[in-house]
Amino acid sequence: MSDTRQEILDATAALLERAGAEQVSIRDVCQAAGVTAPTVYHHFGDKKDLLEAVAAEGFRRYLSAKHSRKPSADPLADLHRGWTDHVGFGLEHPAFYRLMYGTPNAEQRPSAREGHRVLVGILDRLAETGRLRLPPEQAATMIHTAAVGTTLSLLSLSEGPRTEGLADRMRDAVFGAVLRQNEPSENDGAAAADLARALLATLSARRTEELTPGERGILLELLRKLAS
């Protein structure tokens, strides 16, 4: 990325933080960056393309902070930290955030999909420990939707009783919907064995025309292992 292009991006981002996208003109950007209008158009085409590039820059900064933190030994702690970081970034950089998540097709940007991939990775680790109620992709969609909606609401509402503790309450509500309340105990293995034995008994009492003989044999073998 050329220095001039980055200077234009930085100047635009600074203007947006103060005035908002509707109030910022190409003339304002030129004055702030010390360039001419043809230079801006050369690098970005028009204002729409410039704002799209600023959104991409916002994602770059956001993901850079995420990737700078290595996963901890506790995926649940990482999930909590991810929520806090997401909401915190939006409140600290409202103009960036509105461009990143408050525009049509925002979720289709490659950087947005990368953020989703990071979240799914954390949830995969939680699923491996038996602490997830839903498949990781479904849980990620719920958590991300709640985080974005909460952050945009906090940006649009004035501070007061309506917003006090909102981010924490929303986090607790959505985490409660996708996570098991307690870590798996030794009794979970016994419960799984009981369920396997019950299913074995059911299969022995009925025909399974939905399954081929090979599929039925594989299923029975797996259930016997779980039952033992």
PDB file of all heavy atoms in Angstrom, residues 55 58-59 62-63 66 86-87 89-90 93-109 111-116 144-145 147-149 151-152 155:
ATOM      1  N   ALA A  55     -13.705   0.902   5.706  1.00  0.00           N
ATOM      2  CA  ALA A  55     -14.273  -0.240   6.416  1.00  0.00           C
ATOM      3  C   ALA A  55     -13.275  -1.394   6.441  1.00  0.00           C
ATOM      4  O   ALA A  55     -13.095  -2.052   7.475  1.00  0.00           O
ATOM      5  CB  ALA A  55     -15.578  -0.680   5.758  1.00  0.00           C
ATOM      6  N   GLY A  58     -10.724  -0.689   8.928  1.00  0.00           N
ATOM      7  CA  GLY A  58     -11.227  -0.950  10.272  1.00  0.00           C
ATOM      8  C   GLY A  58     -11.128  -2.426  10.619  1.00  0.00           C
ATOM      9  O   GLY A  58     -10.695  -2.796  11.721  1.00  0.00           O
ATOM     10  N   PHE A  59     -11.532  -3.294   9.683  1.00  0.00           N
ATOM     11  CA  PHE A  59     -11.414  -4.729   9.912  1.00  0.00           C
ATOM     12  C   PHE A  59      -9.952  -5.130  10.096  1.00  0.00           C
ATOM     13  O   PHE A  59      -9.636  -5.994  10.917  1.00  0.00           O
ATOM     14  CB  PHE A  59     -12.014  -5.502   8.735  1.00  0.00           C
ATOM     15  CG  PHE A  59     -13.486  -5.761   8.868  1.00  0.00           C
ATOM     16  CD1 PHE A  59     -14.387  -5.182   7.972  1.00  0.00           C
ATOM     17  CD2 PHE A  59     -13.983  -6.566   9.871  1.00  0.00           C
ATOM     18  CE1 PHE A  59     -15.743  -5.421   8.086  1.00  0.00           C
ATOM     19  CE2 PHE A  59     -15.345  -6.813   9.993  1.00  0.00           C
ATOM     20  CZ  PHE A  59     -16.224  -6.238   9.097  1.00  0.00           C
ATOM     21  N   TYR A  62      -8.943  -4.218  13.571  1.00  0.00           N
ATOM     22  CA  TYR A  62      -9.653  -5.060  14.535  1.00  0.00           C
ATOM     23  C   TYR A  62      -9.065  -6.471  14.562  1.00  0.00           C
ATOM     24  O   TYR A  62      -8.791  -7.027  15.628  1.00  0.00           O
ATOM     25  CB  TYR A  62     -11.124  -5.093  14.153  1.00  0.00           C
ATOM     26  CG  TYR A  62     -11.966  -6.038  14.977  1.00  0.00           C
ATOM     27  CD1 TYR A  62     -12.104  -5.872  16.350  1.00  0.00           C
ATOM     28  CD2 TYR A  62     -12.653  -7.090  14.381  1.00  0.00           C
ATOM     29  CE1 TYR A  62     -12.888  -6.725  17.114  1.00  0.00           C
ATOM     30  CE2 TYR A  62     -13.437  -7.954  15.124  1.00  0.00           C
ATOM     31  CZ  TYR A  62     -13.551  -7.768  16.485  1.00  0.00           C
ATOM     32  OH  TYR A  62     -14.320  -8.629  17.230  1.00  0.00           O
ATOM     33  N   LEU A  63      -8.860  -7.051  13.383  1.00  0.00           N
ATOM     34  CA  LEU A  63      -8.329  -8.414  13.318  1.00  0.00           C
ATOM     35  C   LEU A  63      -6.864  -8.462  13.737  1.00  0.00           C
ATOM     36  O   LEU A  63      -6.410  -9.469  14.285  1.00  0.00           O
ATOM     37  CB  LEU A  63      -8.490  -8.969  11.911  1.00  0.00           C
ATOM     38  CG  LEU A  63      -9.933  -9.259  11.490  1.00  0.00           C
ATOM     39  CD1 LEU A  63      -9.976  -9.669  10.012  1.00  0.00           C
ATOM     40  CD2 LEU A  63     -10.543 -10.360  12.350  1.00  0.00           C
ATOM     41  N   LYS A  66      -6.909  -8.904  17.322  1.00  0.00           N
ATOM     42  CA  LYS A  66      -7.334 -10.264  17.667  1.00  0.00           C
ATOM     43  C   LYS A  66      -6.190 -11.259  17.487  1.00  0.00           C
ATOM     44  O   LYS A  66      -5.934 -12.112  18.343  1.00  0.00           O
ATOM     45  CB  LYS A  66      -8.512 -10.683  16.784  1.00  0.00           C
ATOM     46  CG  LYS A  66      -9.878 -10.356  17.350  1.00  0.00           C
ATOM     47  CD  LYS A  66     -10.963 -10.977  16.505  1.00  0.00           C
ATOM     48  CE  LYS A  66     -12.324 -10.804  17.143  1.00  0.00           C
ATOM     49  NZ  LYS A  66     -12.452 -11.493  18.434  1.00  0.00           N
ATOM     50  N   HIS A  86     -14.874  -7.117  21.014  1.00  0.00           N
ATOM     51  CA  HIS A  86     -15.747  -6.702  19.913  1.00  0.00           C
ATOM     52  C   HIS A  86     -16.541  -5.459  20.287  1.00  0.00           C
ATOM     53  O   HIS A  86     -16.524  -4.447  19.565  1.00  0.00           O
ATOM     54  CB  HIS A  86     -16.700  -7.846  19.556  1.00  0.00           C
ATOM     55  CG  HIS A  86     -17.587  -7.540  18.389  1.00  0.00           C
ATOM     56  ND1 HIS A  86     -17.350  -8.027  17.134  1.00  0.00           N
ATOM     57  CD2 HIS A  86     -18.715  -6.779  18.298  1.00  0.00           C
ATOM     58  CE1 HIS A  86     -18.285  -7.581  16.300  1.00  0.00           C
ATOM     59  NE2 HIS A  86     -19.123  -6.825  16.995  1.00  0.00           N
ATOM     60  N   VAL A  87     -17.232  -5.520  21.414  1.00  0.00           N
ATOM     61  CA  VAL A  87     -18.041  -4.374  21.845  1.00  0.00           C
ATOM     62  C   VAL A  87     -17.143  -3.177  22.125  1.00  0.00           C
ATOM     63  O   VAL A  87     -17.458  -2.040  21.748  1.00  0.00           O
ATOM     64  CB  VAL A  87     -18.881  -4.738  23.081  1.00  0.00           C
ATOM     65  CG1 VAL A  87     -19.650  -3.518  23.585  1.00  0.00           C
ATOM     66  CG2 VAL A  87     -19.852  -5.876  22.756  1.00  0.00           C
ATOM     67  N   PHE A  89     -14.240  -2.390  20.798  1.00  0.00           N
ATOM     68  CA  PHE A  89     -13.757  -1.772  19.562  1.00  0.00           C
ATOM     69  C   PHE A  89     -14.835  -0.883  18.958  1.00  0.00           C
ATOM     70  O   PHE A  89     -14.556   0.233  18.507  1.00  0.00           O
ATOM     71  CB  PHE A  89     -13.343  -2.841  18.557  1.00  0.00           C
ATOM     72  CG  PHE A  89     -12.810  -2.287  17.260  1.00  0.00           C
ATOM     73  CD1 PHE A  89     -11.457  -2.020  17.114  1.00  0.00           C
ATOM     74  CD2 PHE A  89     -13.658  -2.029  16.189  1.00  0.00           C
ATOM     75  CE1 PHE A  89     -10.959  -1.498  15.925  1.00  0.00           C
ATOM     76  CE2 PHE A  89     -13.179  -1.505  15.001  1.00  0.00           C
ATOM     77  CZ  PHE A  89     -11.822  -1.242  14.867  1.00  0.00           C
ATOM     78  N   GLY A  90     -16.077  -1.375  18.947  1.00  0.00           N
ATOM     79  CA  GLY A  90     -17.158  -0.580  18.385  1.00  0.00           C
ATOM     80  C   GLY A  90     -17.393   0.718  19.129  1.00  0.00           C
ATOM     81  O   GLY A  90     -17.607   1.775  18.516  1.00  0.00           O
ATOM     82  N   HIS A  93     -14.379   3.053  18.421  1.00  0.00           N
ATOM     83  CA  HIS A  93     -14.251   3.503  17.030  1.00  0.00           C
ATOM     84  C   HIS A  93     -15.615   3.430  16.339  1.00  0.00           C
ATOM     85  O   HIS A  93     -15.833   2.601  15.450  1.00  0.00           O
ATOM     86  CB  HIS A  93     -13.242   2.646  16.281  1.00  0.00           C
ATOM     87  CG  HIS A  93     -11.900   2.580  16.928  1.00  0.00           C
ATOM     88  ND1 HIS A  93     -11.008   3.640  16.905  1.00  0.00           N
ATOM     89  CD2 HIS A  93     -11.292   1.587  17.629  1.00  0.00           C
ATOM     90  CE1 HIS A  93      -9.905   3.304  17.558  1.00  0.00           C
ATOM     91  NE2 HIS A  93     -10.058   2.066  18.005  1.00  0.00           N
ATOM     92  N   PRO A  94     -16.557   4.269  16.741  1.00  0.00           N
ATOM     93  CA  PRO A  94     -17.924   4.160  16.217  1.00  0.00           C
ATOM     94  C   PRO A  94     -18.036   4.332  14.708  1.00  0.00           C
ATOM     95  O   PRO A  94     -18.828   3.642  14.062  1.00  0.00           O
ATOM     96  CB  PRO A  94     -18.680   5.255  16.967  1.00  0.00           C
ATOM     97  CG  PRO A  94     -17.630   6.190  17.472  1.00  0.00           C
ATOM     98  CD  PRO A  94     -16.423   5.351  17.726  1.00  0.00           C
ATOM     99  N   ALA A  95     -17.249   5.259  14.133  1.00  0.00           N
ATOM    100  CA  ALA A  95     -17.342   5.467  12.688  1.00  0.00           C
ATOM    101  C   ALA A  95     -16.853   4.242  11.930  1.00  0.00           C
ATOM    102  O   ALA A  95     -17.472   3.800  10.955  1.00  0.00           O
ATOM    103  CB  ALA A  95     -16.527   6.695  12.285  1.00  0.00           C
ATOM    104  N   PHE A  96     -15.720   3.713  12.339  1.00  0.00           N
ATOM    105  CA  PHE A  96     -15.232   2.469  11.747  1.00  0.00           C
ATOM    106  C   PHE A  96     -16.295   1.384  11.867  1.00  0.00           C
ATOM    107  O   PHE A  96     -16.613   0.689  10.901  1.00  0.00           O
ATOM    108  CB  PHE A  96     -13.967   1.993  12.469  1.00  0.00           C
ATOM    109  CG  PHE A  96     -12.686   2.474  11.859  1.00  0.00           C
ATOM    110  CD1 PHE A  96     -11.667   2.978  12.652  1.00  0.00           C
ATOM    111  CD2 PHE A  96     -12.476   2.406  10.496  1.00  0.00           C
ATOM    112  CE1 PHE A  96     -10.476   3.407  12.105  1.00  0.00           C
ATOM    113  CE2 PHE A  96     -11.292   2.836   9.932  1.00  0.00           C
ATOM    114  CZ  PHE A  96     -10.287   3.338  10.732  1.00  0.00           C
ATOM    115  N   TYR A  97     -16.835   1.230  13.061  1.00  0.00           N
ATOM    116  CA  TYR A  97     -17.739   0.111  13.334  1.00  0.00           C
ATOM    117  C   TYR A  97     -19.005   0.208  12.489  1.00  0.00           C
ATOM    118  O   TYR A  97     -19.483  -0.806  11.967  1.00  0.00           O
ATOM    119  CB  TYR A  97     -18.100   0.070  14.822  1.00  0.00           C
ATOM    120  CG  TYR A  97     -18.764  -1.236  15.209  1.00  0.00           C
ATOM    121  CD1 TYR A  97     -17.995  -2.338  15.566  1.00  0.00           C
ATOM    122  CD2 TYR A  97     -20.147  -1.386  15.199  1.00  0.00           C
ATOM    123  CE1 TYR A  97     -18.579  -3.550  15.904  1.00  0.00           C
ATOM    124  CE2 TYR A  97     -20.741  -2.586  15.533  1.00  0.00           C
ATOM    125  CZ  TYR A  97     -19.953  -3.662  15.886  1.00  0.00           C
ATOM    126  OH  TYR A  97     -20.546  -4.858  16.193  1.00  0.00           O
ATOM    127  N   ARG A  98     -19.562   1.396  12.358  1.00  0.00           N
ATOM    128  CA  ARG A  98     -20.777   1.549  11.559  1.00  0.00           C
ATOM    129  C   ARG A  98     -20.515   1.191  10.101  1.00  0.00           C
ATOM    130  O   ARG A  98     -21.379   0.616   9.433  1.00  0.00           O
ATOM    131  CB  ARG A  98     -21.307   2.971  11.676  1.00  0.00           C
ATOM    132  CG  ARG A  98     -21.917   3.302  13.042  1.00  0.00           C
ATOM    133  CD  ARG A  98     -22.645   4.627  12.998  1.00  0.00           C
ATOM    134  NE  ARG A  98     -23.286   4.925  14.277  1.00  0.00           N
ATOM    135  CZ  ARG A  98     -22.770   5.731  15.197  1.00  0.00           C
ATOM    136  NH1 ARG A  98     -21.582   6.300  14.993  1.00  0.00           N
ATOM    137  NH2 ARG A  98     -23.408   5.962  16.332  1.00  0.00           N
ATOM    138  N   LEU A  99     -19.345   1.520   9.598  1.00  0.00           N
ATOM    139  CA  LEU A  99     -19.005   1.143   8.228  1.00  0.00           C
ATOM    140  C   LEU A  99     -18.763  -0.358   8.125  1.00  0.00           C
ATOM    141  O   LEU A  99     -19.094  -0.990   7.118  1.00  0.00           O
ATOM    142  CB  LEU A  99     -17.748   1.885   7.760  1.00  0.00           C
ATOM    143  CG  LEU A  99     -17.916   3.370   7.451  1.00  0.00           C
ATOM    144  CD1 LEU A  99     -16.557   3.990   7.117  1.00  0.00           C
ATOM    145  CD2 LEU A  99     -18.887   3.587   6.302  1.00  0.00           C
ATOM    146  N   MET A 100     -18.189  -0.939   9.167  1.00  0.00           N
ATOM    147  CA  MET A 100     -17.862  -2.365   9.149  1.00  0.00           C
ATOM    148  C   MET A 100     -19.107  -3.242   9.232  1.00  0.00           C
ATOM    149  O   MET A 100     -19.223  -4.242   8.519  1.00  0.00           O
ATOM    150  CB  MET A 100     -16.916  -2.698  10.308  1.00  0.00           C
ATOM    151  CG  MET A 100     -15.523  -2.124  10.165  1.00  0.00           C
ATOM    152  SD  MET A 100     -14.608  -2.083  11.747  1.00  0.00           S
ATOM    153  CE  MET A 100     -14.523  -3.829  12.170  1.00  0.00           C
ATOM    154  N   TYR A 101     -20.039  -2.863  10.112  1.00  0.00           N
ATOM    155  CA  TYR A 101     -21.169  -3.748  10.410  1.00  0.00           C
ATOM    156  C   TYR A 101     -22.544  -3.123  10.187  1.00  0.00           C
ATOM    157  O   TYR A 101     -23.544  -3.845  10.243  1.00  0.00           O
ATOM    158  CB  TYR A 101     -21.091  -4.210  11.864  1.00  0.00           C
ATOM    159  CG  TYR A 101     -19.949  -5.159  12.127  1.00  0.00           C
ATOM    160  CD1 TYR A 101     -18.849  -4.767  12.891  1.00  0.00           C
ATOM    161  CD2 TYR A 101     -19.958  -6.459  11.617  1.00  0.00           C
ATOM    162  CE1 TYR A 101     -17.802  -5.640  13.133  1.00  0.00           C
ATOM    163  CE2 TYR A 101     -18.914  -7.337  11.864  1.00  0.00           C
ATOM    164  CZ  TYR A 101     -17.842  -6.915  12.623  1.00  0.00           C
ATOM    165  OH  TYR A 101     -16.811  -7.786  12.860  1.00  0.00           O
ATOM    166  N   GLY A 102     -22.605  -1.836   9.946  1.00  0.00           N
ATOM    167  CA  GLY A 102     -23.899  -1.189   9.807  1.00  0.00           C
ATOM    168  C   GLY A 102     -24.303  -0.901   8.382  1.00  0.00           C
ATOM    169  O   GLY A 102     -25.215  -0.112   8.140  1.00  0.00           O
ATOM    170  N   THR A 103     -23.651  -1.531   7.404  1.00  0.00           N
ATOM    171  CA  THR A 103     -23.955  -1.308   5.999  1.00  0.00           C
ATOM    172  C   THR A 103     -24.413  -2.610   5.347  1.00  0.00           C
ATOM    173  O   THR A 103     -24.109  -3.703   5.842  1.00  0.00           O
ATOM    174  CB  THR A 103     -22.717  -0.778   5.257  1.00  0.00           C
ATOM    175  OG1 THR A 103     -21.627  -1.701   5.432  1.00  0.00           O
ATOM    176  CG2 THR A 103     -22.295   0.580   5.798  1.00  0.00           C
ATOM    177  N   PRO A 104     -25.140  -2.524   4.226  1.00  0.00           N
ATOM    178  CA  PRO A 104     -25.604  -3.748   3.556  1.00  0.00           C
ATOM    179  C   PRO A 104     -24.441  -4.648   3.150  1.00  0.00           C
ATOM    180  O   PRO A 104     -23.368  -4.168   2.761  1.00  0.00           O
ATOM    181  CB  PRO A 104     -26.338  -3.208   2.319  1.00  0.00           C
ATOM    182  CG  PRO A 104     -26.748  -1.824   2.700  1.00  0.00           C
ATOM    183  CD  PRO A 104     -25.657  -1.303   3.583  1.00  0.00           C
ATOM    184  N   ASN A 105     -24.661  -5.945   3.252  1.00  0.00           N
ATOM    185  CA  ASN A 105     -23.676  -6.955   2.843  1.00  0.00           C
ATOM    186  C   ASN A 105     -22.371  -6.885   3.630  1.00  0.00           C
ATOM    187  O   ASN A 105     -21.339  -7.370   3.173  1.00  0.00           O
ATOM    188  CB  ASN A 105     -23.366  -6.841   1.345  1.00  0.00           C
ATOM    189  CG  ASN A 105     -24.602  -6.987   0.480  1.00  0.00           C
ATOM    190  OD1 ASN A 105     -25.437  -7.850   0.736  1.00  0.00           O
ATOM    191  ND2 ASN A 105     -24.741  -6.135  -0.519  1.00  0.00           N
ATOM    192  N   ALA A 106     -22.429  -6.275   4.828  1.00  0.00           N
ATOM    193  CA  ALA A 106     -21.207  -6.146   5.623  1.00  0.00           C
ATOM    194  C   ALA A 106     -20.603  -7.507   5.945  1.00  0.00           C
ATOM    195  O   ALA A 106     -19.375  -7.666   5.965  1.00  0.00           O
ATOM    196  CB  ALA A 106     -21.501  -5.383   6.917  1.00  0.00           C
ATOM    197  N   GLU A 107     -21.462  -8.511   6.168  1.00  0.00           N
ATOM    198  CA  GLU A 107     -20.974  -9.825   6.586  1.00  0.00           C
ATOM    199  C   GLU A 107     -20.294 -10.575   5.450  1.00  0.00           C
ATOM    200  O   GLU A 107     -19.664 -11.614   5.678  1.00  0.00           O
ATOM    201  CB  GLU A 107     -22.135 -10.662   7.131  1.00  0.00           C
ATOM    202  CG  GLU A 107     -22.898 -10.010   8.263  1.00  0.00           C
ATOM    203  CD  GLU A 107     -22.028  -9.767   9.489  1.00  0.00           C
ATOM    204  OE1 GLU A 107     -21.044 -10.508   9.671  1.00  0.00           O
ATOM    205  OE2 GLU A 107     -22.328  -8.846  10.247  1.00  0.00           O
ATOM    206  N   GLN A 108     -20.424 -10.076   4.209  1.00  0.00           N
ATOM    207  CA  GLN A 108     -19.840 -10.774   3.076  1.00  0.00           C
ATOM    208  C   GLN A 108     -18.388 -10.368   2.811  1.00  0.00           C
ATOM    209  O   GLN A 108     -17.719 -10.975   1.974  1.00  0.00           O
ATOM    210  CB  GLN A 108     -20.676 -10.505   1.814  1.00  0.00           C
ATOM    211  CG  GLN A 108     -22.121 -10.954   1.937  1.00  0.00           C
ATOM    212  CD  GLN A 108     -22.232 -12.409   2.329  1.00  0.00           C
ATOM    213  OE1 GLN A 108     -21.560 -13.277   1.778  1.00  0.00           O
ATOM    214  NE2 GLN A 108     -23.096 -12.693   3.316  1.00  0.00           N
ATOM    215  N   ARG A 109     -17.927  -9.343   3.510  1.00  0.00           N
ATOM    216  CA  ARG A 109     -16.545  -8.935   3.301  1.00  0.00           C
ATOM    217  C   ARG A 109     -15.593 -10.040   3.768  1.00  0.00           C
ATOM    218  O   ARG A 109     -15.844 -10.698   4.783  1.00  0.00           O
ATOM    219  CB  ARG A 109     -16.242  -7.651   4.077  1.00  0.00           C
ATOM    220  CG  ARG A 109     -16.992  -6.423   3.581  1.00  0.00           C
ATOM    221  CD  ARG A 109     -16.475  -5.179   4.293  1.00  0.00           C
ATOM    222  NE  ARG A 109     -17.118  -3.976   3.818  1.00  0.00           N
ATOM    223  CZ  ARG A 109     -18.082  -3.337   4.464  1.00  0.00           C
ATOM    224  NH1 ARG A 109     -18.512  -3.787   5.631  1.00  0.00           N
ATOM    225  NH2 ARG A 109     -18.621  -2.246   3.967  1.00  0.00           N
ATOM    226  N   SER A 111     -12.850  -9.888   5.335  1.00  0.00           N
ATOM    227  CA  SER A 111     -12.387  -9.661   6.709  1.00  0.00           C
ATOM    228  C   SER A 111     -13.446 -10.047   7.720  1.00  0.00           C
ATOM    229  O   SER A 111     -13.127 -10.547   8.804  1.00  0.00           O
ATOM    230  CB  SER A 111     -11.994  -8.189   6.889  1.00  0.00           C
ATOM    231  OG  SER A 111     -10.922  -7.836   6.045  1.00  0.00           O
ATOM    232  N   ALA A 112     -14.723  -9.821   7.383  1.00  0.00           N
ATOM    233  CA  ALA A 112     -15.803 -10.222   8.286  1.00  0.00           C
ATOM    234  C   ALA A 112     -15.847 -11.733   8.401  1.00  0.00           C
ATOM    235  O   ALA A 112     -16.058 -12.286   9.492  1.00  0.00           O
ATOM    236  CB  ALA A 112     -17.131  -9.680   7.783  1.00  0.00           C
ATOM    237  N   ARG A 113     -15.631 -12.428   7.290  1.00  0.00           N
ATOM    238  CA  ARG A 113     -15.629 -13.889   7.324  1.00  0.00           C
ATOM    239  C   ARG A 113     -14.440 -14.413   8.125  1.00  0.00           C
ATOM    240  O   ARG A 113     -14.534 -15.453   8.776  1.00  0.00           O
ATOM    241  CB  ARG A 113     -15.611 -14.449   5.902  1.00  0.00           C
ATOM    242  CG  ARG A 113     -16.915 -14.188   5.145  1.00  0.00           C
ATOM    243  CD  ARG A 113     -17.040 -15.075   3.923  1.00  0.00           C
ATOM    244  NE  ARG A 113     -16.058 -14.728   2.910  1.00  0.00           N
ATOM    245  CZ  ARG A 113     -16.266 -13.856   1.934  1.00  0.00           C
ATOM    246  NH1 ARG A 113     -17.431 -13.212   1.844  1.00  0.00           N
ATOM    247  NH2 ARG A 113     -15.339 -13.603   1.035  1.00  0.00           N
ATOM    248  N   GLU A 114     -13.333 -13.680   8.093  1.00  0.00           N
ATOM    249  CA  GLU A 114     -12.176 -14.085   8.886  1.00  0.00           C
ATOM    250  C   GLU A 114     -12.479 -13.953  10.378  1.00  0.00           C
ATOM    251  O   GLU A 114     -12.110 -14.811  11.184  1.00  0.00           O
ATOM    252  CB  GLU A 114     -10.967 -13.217   8.527  1.00  0.00           C
ATOM    253  CG  GLU A 114      -9.760 -13.368   9.442  1.00  0.00           C
ATOM    254  CD  GLU A 114      -9.135 -14.760   9.410  1.00  0.00           C
ATOM    255  OE1 GLU A 114      -9.486 -15.559   8.515  1.00  0.00           O
ATOM    256  OE2 GLU A 114      -8.299 -15.045  10.279  1.00  0.00           O
ATOM    257  N   GLY A 115     -13.170 -12.879  10.758  1.00  0.00           N
ATOM    258  CA  GLY A 115     -13.572 -12.733  12.144  1.00  0.00           C
ATOM    259  C   GLY A 115     -14.498 -13.857  12.580  1.00  0.00           C
ATOM    260  O   GLY A 115     -14.390 -14.371  13.697  1.00  0.00           O
ATOM    261  N   HIS A 116     -15.400 -14.274  11.688  1.00  0.00           N
ATOM    262  CA  HIS A 116     -16.296 -15.394  11.977  1.00  0.00           C
ATOM    263  C   HIS A 116     -15.490 -16.676  12.163  1.00  0.00           C
ATOM    264  O   HIS A 116     -15.791 -17.482  13.055  1.00  0.00           O
ATOM    265  CB  HIS A 116     -17.288 -15.554  10.826  1.00  0.00           C
ATOM    266  CG  HIS A 116     -18.262 -16.679  11.001  1.00  0.00           C
ATOM    267  ND1 HIS A 116     -19.369 -16.593  11.803  1.00  0.00           N
ATOM    268  CD2 HIS A 116     -18.277 -17.936  10.477  1.00  0.00           C
ATOM    269  CE1 HIS A 116     -20.034 -17.729  11.765  1.00  0.00           C
ATOM    270  NE2 HIS A 116     -19.398 -18.564  10.978  1.00  0.00           N
ATOM    271  N   HIS A 144     -22.398 -13.747  17.263  1.00  0.00           N
ATOM    272  CA  HIS A 144     -22.005 -12.600  16.448  1.00  0.00           C
ATOM    273  C   HIS A 144     -23.178 -11.649  16.236  1.00  0.00           C
ATOM    274  O   HIS A 144     -23.028 -10.424  16.352  1.00  0.00           O
ATOM    275  CB  HIS A 144     -21.470 -13.076  15.103  1.00  0.00           C
ATOM    276  CG  HIS A 144     -21.104 -11.956  14.174  1.00  0.00           C
ATOM    277  ND1 HIS A 144     -20.003 -11.155  14.373  1.00  0.00           N
ATOM    278  CD2 HIS A 144     -21.720 -11.482  13.060  1.00  0.00           C
ATOM    279  CE1 HIS A 144     -19.939 -10.240  13.420  1.00  0.00           C
ATOM    280  NE2 HIS A 144     -20.970 -10.417  12.615  1.00  0.00           N
ATOM    281  N   THR A 145     -24.361 -12.197  15.935  1.00  0.00           N
ATOM    282  CA  THR A 145     -25.538 -11.361  15.732  1.00  0.00           C
ATOM    283  C   THR A 145     -25.854 -10.559  16.994  1.00  0.00           C
ATOM    284  O   THR A 145     -26.179  -9.366  16.928  1.00  0.00           O
ATOM    285  CB  THR A 145     -26.747 -12.228  15.350  1.00  0.00           C
ATOM    286  OG1 THR A 145     -26.444 -12.946  14.144  1.00  0.00           O
ATOM    287  CG2 THR A 145     -27.984 -11.379  15.131  1.00  0.00           C
ATOM    288  N   ALA A 147     -23.718  -9.712  19.392  1.00  0.00           N
ATOM    289  CA  ALA A 147     -22.658  -8.733  19.641  1.00  0.00           C
ATOM    290  C   ALA A 147     -22.812  -7.510  18.747  1.00  0.00           C
ATOM    291  O   ALA A 147     -22.688  -6.365  19.204  1.00  0.00           O
ATOM    292  CB  ALA A 147     -21.293  -9.383  19.430  1.00  0.00           C
ATOM    293  N   VAL A 148     -23.088  -7.738  17.467  1.00  0.00           N
ATOM    294  CA  VAL A 148     -23.250  -6.615  16.535  1.00  0.00           C
ATOM    295  C   VAL A 148     -24.482  -5.796  16.898  1.00  0.00           C
ATOM    296  O   VAL A 148     -24.436  -4.561  16.949  1.00  0.00           O
ATOM    297  CB  VAL A 148     -23.347  -7.130  15.080  1.00  0.00           C
ATOM    298  CG1 VAL A 148     -23.733  -5.994  14.129  1.00  0.00           C
ATOM    299  CG2 VAL A 148     -22.025  -7.738  14.642  1.00  0.00           C
ATOM    300  N   GLY A 149     -25.608  -6.473  17.150  1.00  0.00           N
ATOM    301  CA  GLY A 149     -26.817  -5.755  17.508  1.00  0.00           C
ATOM    302  C   GLY A 149     -26.659  -4.950  18.784  1.00  0.00           C
ATOM    303  O   GLY A 149     -27.122  -3.805  18.874  1.00  0.00           O
ATOM    304  N   THR A 151     -23.815  -3.765  20.064  1.00  0.00           N
ATOM    305  CA  THR A 151     -22.892  -2.654  19.852  1.00  0.00           C
ATOM    306  C   THR A 151     -23.555  -1.522  19.078  1.00  0.00           C
ATOM    307  O   THR A 151     -23.424  -0.339  19.449  1.00  0.00           O
ATOM    308  CB  THR A 151     -21.635  -3.137  19.107  1.00  0.00           C
ATOM    309  OG1 THR A 151     -21.064  -4.246  19.800  1.00  0.00           O
ATOM    310  CG2 THR A 151     -20.602  -2.029  19.021  1.00  0.00           C
ATOM    311  N   LEU A 152     -24.273  -1.848  18.007  1.00  0.00           N
ATOM    312  CA  LEU A 152     -24.951  -0.800  17.244  1.00  0.00           C
ATOM    313  C   LEU A 152     -26.017  -0.101  18.089  1.00  0.00           C
ATOM    314  O   LEU A 152     -26.221   1.109  17.959  1.00  0.00           O
ATOM    315  CB  LEU A 152     -25.585  -1.401  15.981  1.00  0.00           C
ATOM    316  CG  LEU A 152     -24.600  -1.849  14.893  1.00  0.00           C
ATOM    317  CD1 LEU A 152     -25.344  -2.550  13.763  1.00  0.00           C
ATOM    318  CD2 LEU A 152     -23.794  -0.669  14.352  1.00  0.00           C
ATOM    319  N   LEU A 155     -24.349   2.354  20.345  1.00  0.00           N
ATOM    320  CA  LEU A 155     -23.881   3.526  19.605  1.00  0.00           C
ATOM    321  C   LEU A 155     -25.026   4.483  19.273  1.00  0.00           C
ATOM    322  O   LEU A 155     -24.800   5.678  19.087  1.00  0.00           O
ATOM    323  CB  LEU A 155     -23.180   3.096  18.313  1.00  0.00           C
ATOM    324  CG  LEU A 155     -21.844   2.373  18.476  1.00  0.00           C
ATOM    325  CD1 LEU A 155     -21.303   1.943  17.125  1.00  0.00           C
ATOM    326  CD2 LEU A 155     -20.826   3.251  19.188  1.00  0.00           C
TER     327      LEU A 155
END
